[in-house]
Amino acid sequence: MKLKFFTSIFLALAFVACDEDETKEPGTMDTAPNVVGMNFLKSTQSFDETYAVLKASLEANENIKIVAEVDHSANGASADLELNPTKIIFFGNPNLGTPLMQVNQQAGLDLPQRILVYQNESEEVYVGYNSTVYLANRHTLSDVPTLPTIAGALKNLSENAGMAEVTEQTSDVEADYNVLTVASTRTFDDTYNNIMSVINGNPNLKLVAELDHQTNAANVDLELLPTKVIIFGNPQLGTPLMQNSQTTALDLPQKILVYENAAGEVNIAFNSPELLRSRHGITGSDATLETILAALQGIATSSN
């Protein structure tokens, strides 16, 4: 869907924090997660042990590159907000991920892969990740041959870290589930550079990582049209949402994908904040979600 330019972009980009009465108390999630498309396990190890084993397993695999680590609890503390231990690690293998984007570049919005580790109020430790069925349904990937390998790797990494068996969740989402797309009138490079300029120019936003999927594909002798993703966030807005529902961390920080298709059309894609509400059961945070939506729309349309 195409979105109109918001004249209030600078107000939106301020990313004001939501009112205190819009969130629950920190760490209210004390039961097994029920998140569409998120496979999970309850770890038998401590939070620190679970995360350390996960990271060590990734580092030990020469085909995998860790792209970024995000400590949501530490980021929340930097904004004077409390959050139970919550970390997410982003990693990828271009040999496995590129074939997904060759079928549909939009899949780059969910790449690199990521695994969430969190400890709730009851000191239960959970590991969660996006199932490949969820990715396939969301981005119409159908029978891409690398999907089973990705599924097996995510399952093995998680079970090795948590010393428990993965529980699979339902993943029956529609194509383009909560994906918003803006068509750019500029070149791929100009579009991307304009977006980066807006993000870097906003003191409320923190750049987490940039990923050039096309370059990564070329490094393993695979072809891909121009495709880049930016990962960024603002703890003042994101932390209250994770206080409300801790699994929201699986879809934070925010991501913006820029890609050019075979027809030379440049598009910007990002997750609608409705994804956070519908997928993670967030309640009472309408103002925050509306602020995030306006900010994302403003950043995307700044390319035009």
Side-chain angles (χ1 to χ4, degrees):
M1 60 180 289
K2 293 187 177 180
L3 303 166
K4 296 181 180 180
F5 181 79
F6 276 59
T7 57
S8 59
I9 176 175
F10 293 108
L11 290 176
L13 289 177
F15 269 55
V16 294
C18 64
D19 295 333
E20 290 182 359
D21 62 0
E22 289 187 321
T23 63
K24 302 176 184 177
E25 289 300 314
T28 55
M29 187 175 184
D30 56 3
T31 58
N34 181 19
V35 178
V36 62
M38 188 186 88
N39 291 348
F40 73 92
L41 61 82
K42 182 178 178 180
S43 179
T44 62
Q45 312 297 310
S46 70
F47 174 84
D48 288 338
E49 289 171 332
T50 302
Y51 189 83
V53 171
L54 173 61
K55 182 178 177 180
S57 297
L58 292 169
E59 290 176 330
N61 190 324
E62 62 182 12
N63 296 312
I64 293 175
K65 178 183 178 182
I66 294 177
V67 175
E69 299 177 71
V70 179
D71 186 334
H72 285 300
S73 302
N75 289 342
S78 71
D80 296 322
L81 296 170
E82 181 182 351
L83 181 67
N84 286 318
T86 309
K87 289 184 178 182
I88 189 165
I89 188 164
F90 292 82
F91 59 94
N93 179 345
N95 279 304
L96 298 180
T98 302
L100 307 186
M101 292 178 284
Q102 288 174 329
V103 172
N104 184 359
Q105 284 169 275
Q106 183 184 285
L109 188 60
D110 280 313
L111 297 172
Q113 298 289 343
R114 56 197 187 272
I115 294 180
L116 169 68
V117 181
Y118 69 92
Q119 178 178 302
N120 63 21
E121 187 72 11
S122 300
E123 299 188 352
E124 299 168 323
V125 177
Y126 285 95
V127 178
Y129 61 89
N130 287 328
S131 76
T132 52
V133 178
Y134 171 80
L135 297 180
N137 288 341
R138 192 181 193 213
H139 304 297
T140 57
L141 301 175
S142 61
D143 299 323
V144 179
T146 60
L147 283 171
T149 303
I150 295 172
L154 291 169
K155 183 175 186 290
N156 291 337
L157 285 164
S158 299
E159 291 184 339
N160 185 50
M163 299 296 291
E165 292 186 2
V166 163
T167 297
E168 296 185 359
Q169 300 269 38
T170 179
S171 299
D172 52 349
V173 298
E174 296 180 353
D176 304 323
Y177 170 65
N178 282 313
V179 176
L180 298 180
T181 304
V182 175
S184 176
T185 60
R186 298 181 181 271
T187 66
F188 175 84
D189 287 339
D190 283 348
T191 299
Y192 185 84
N193 290 337
N194 286 351
I195 290 173
M196 282 299 301
S197 178
V198 172
I199 292 173
N200 287 328
N202 189 323
N204 298 297
L205 301 181
K206 177 182 178 181
L207 179 65
V208 175
E210 300 176 71
L211 198 67
D212 187 334
H213 288 302
Q214 183 186 44
T215 296
N216 290 340
N219 288 338
V220 292
D221 298 322
L222 293 174
E223 292 185 359
L224 182 66
L225 292 167
T227 309
K228 291 184 178 181
V229 67
I230 308 164
I231 304 173
F232 64 100
N234 178 349
Q236 277 196 318
L237 282 186
T239 305
L241 299 179
M242 290 180 281
Q243 289 174 332
N244 192 295
S245 177
Q246 208 170 350
T247 62
T248 308
L250 184 63
D251 287 305
L252 294 175
Q254 300 290 341
K255 293 171 287 295
I256 287 183
L257 176 73
V258 182
Y259 63 96
E260 180 179 331
N261 63 24
E265 300 166 333
V266 178
N267 292 289
I268 303 119
F270 55 92
N271 291 325
S272 167
E274 181 60 30
L275 174 76
L276 306 181
R277 190 203 320 266
S278 64
R279 194 180 187 203
H280 300 282
I282 290 175
T283 58
S285 297
D286 290 355
T288 301
L289 295 174
E290 289 171 4
T291 299
I292 293 172
L293 175 60
L296 291 170
Q297 289 172 330
I299 294 171
T301 54
S302 69
S303 65
N304 293 322

Short mmCIF file of all heavy atoms in Angstrom, two decimals, residues 37 91 95 146 150 157 180 189 228 267 274 282 289:
data_model
loop_
_atom_site.label_atom_id
_atom_site.label_comp_id
_atom_site.label_asym_id
_atom_site.label_seq_id
_atom_site.Cartn_x
_atom_site.Cartn_y
_atom_site.Cartn_z
N GLY A 37 3.37 -18.06 14.82
CA GLY A 37 4.61 -18.14 14.07
C GLY A 37 5.88 -18.16 14.88
O GLY A 37 6.97 -18.19 14.31
N PHE A 91 21.59 -13.07 13.23
CA PHE A 91 22.66 -13.80 12.56
C PHE A 91 22.17 -14.31 11.21
O PHE A 91 20.97 -14.39 10.96
CB PHE A 91 23.12 -15.00 13.41
CG PHE A 91 22.00 -15.97 13.72
CD1 PHE A 91 21.78 -17.08 12.93
CD2 PHE A 91 21.15 -15.76 14.80
CE1 PHE A 91 20.75 -17.97 13.19
CE2 PHE A 91 20.11 -16.64 15.08
CZ PHE A 91 19.91 -17.74 14.28
N ASN A 95 24.10 -18.30 2.15
CA ASN A 95 23.79 -19.48 1.34
C ASN A 95 22.36 -19.96 1.55
O ASN A 95 21.75 -20.53 0.64
CB ASN A 95 24.76 -20.63 1.67
CG ASN A 95 26.09 -20.47 0.96
OD1 ASN A 95 26.16 -20.36 -0.26
ND2 ASN A 95 27.17 -20.43 1.73
N THR A 146 15.84 -24.24 0.64
CA THR A 146 16.65 -24.04 1.85
C THR A 146 15.81 -23.94 3.12
O THR A 146 16.36 -23.95 4.22
CB THR A 146 17.52 -22.78 1.73
OG1 THR A 146 16.67 -21.63 1.55
CG2 THR A 146 18.50 -22.88 0.58
N ILE A 150 17.02 -24.34 7.13
CA ILE A 150 16.90 -23.23 8.08
C ILE A 150 16.10 -23.68 9.30
O ILE A 150 16.48 -23.39 10.45
CB ILE A 150 16.23 -22.02 7.41
CG1 ILE A 150 17.12 -21.46 6.30
CG2 ILE A 150 15.93 -20.93 8.44
CD1 ILE A 150 16.45 -20.39 5.45
N LEU A 157 19.83 -25.06 17.23
CA LEU A 157 20.47 -24.00 18.01
C LEU A 157 19.70 -23.72 19.30
O LEU A 157 20.29 -23.57 20.37
CB LEU A 157 20.56 -22.72 17.17
CG LEU A 157 21.62 -22.69 16.07
CD1 LEU A 157 21.34 -21.55 15.09
CD2 LEU A 157 23.02 -22.54 16.67
N LEU A 180 3.90 -3.15 5.46
CA LEU A 180 3.53 -1.92 4.76
C LEU A 180 4.64 -1.59 3.75
O LEU A 180 5.82 -1.73 4.06
CB LEU A 180 3.35 -0.76 5.73
CG LEU A 180 2.25 -0.94 6.79
CD1 LEU A 180 2.17 0.28 7.68
CD2 LEU A 180 0.91 -1.21 6.12
N ASP A 189 19.96 3.89 -4.41
CA ASP A 189 20.97 4.49 -3.54
C ASP A 189 20.47 5.76 -2.87
O ASP A 189 20.70 5.98 -1.67
CB ASP A 189 22.25 4.79 -4.33
CG ASP A 189 23.02 3.52 -4.68
OD1 ASP A 189 22.82 2.50 -4.00
OD2 ASP A 189 23.81 3.56 -5.65
N LYS A 228 18.67 -4.00 0.86
CA LYS A 228 19.34 -3.64 2.12
C LYS A 228 18.30 -3.49 3.23
O LYS A 228 17.17 -3.08 2.99
CB LYS A 228 20.10 -2.33 1.98
CG LYS A 228 21.34 -2.38 1.09
CD LYS A 228 22.08 -1.03 1.11
CE LYS A 228 23.34 -1.07 0.27
NZ LYS A 228 24.08 0.23 0.32
N ASN A 267 11.30 0.06 -3.68
CA ASN A 267 10.29 0.01 -2.64
C ASN A 267 10.91 0.01 -1.26
O ASN A 267 12.04 -0.46 -1.07
CB ASN A 267 9.42 -1.25 -2.80
CG ASN A 267 8.55 -1.21 -4.04
OD1 ASN A 267 7.59 -0.45 -4.10
ND2 ASN A 267 8.88 -2.01 -5.03
N GLU A 274 0.84 -2.70 13.98
CA GLU A 274 -0.26 -3.63 14.24
C GLU A 274 0.26 -5.05 14.41
O GLU A 274 -0.36 -5.88 15.08
CB GLU A 274 -1.29 -3.57 13.10
CG GLU A 274 -2.48 -4.48 13.27
CD GLU A 274 -3.29 -4.20 14.53
OE1 GLU A 274 -3.31 -3.05 14.98
OE2 GLU A 274 -3.90 -5.16 15.06
N ILE A 282 -0.47 -7.15 22.63
CA ILE A 282 -0.30 -5.90 23.37
C ILE A 282 -1.65 -5.22 23.55
O ILE A 282 -2.46 -5.17 22.64
CB ILE A 282 0.67 -4.96 22.62
CG1 ILE A 282 2.09 -5.52 22.67
CG2 ILE A 282 0.64 -3.55 23.19
CD1 ILE A 282 3.08 -4.74 21.86
N LEU A 289 1.71 2.93 19.70
CA LEU A 289 1.71 2.27 18.40
C LEU A 289 1.42 3.28 17.28
O LEU A 289 2.01 3.21 16.19
CB LEU A 289 0.68 1.14 18.37
CG LEU A 289 0.98 -0.02 19.33
CD1 LEU A 289 -0.17 -1.02 19.33
CD2 LEU A 289 2.28 -0.71 18.96
#
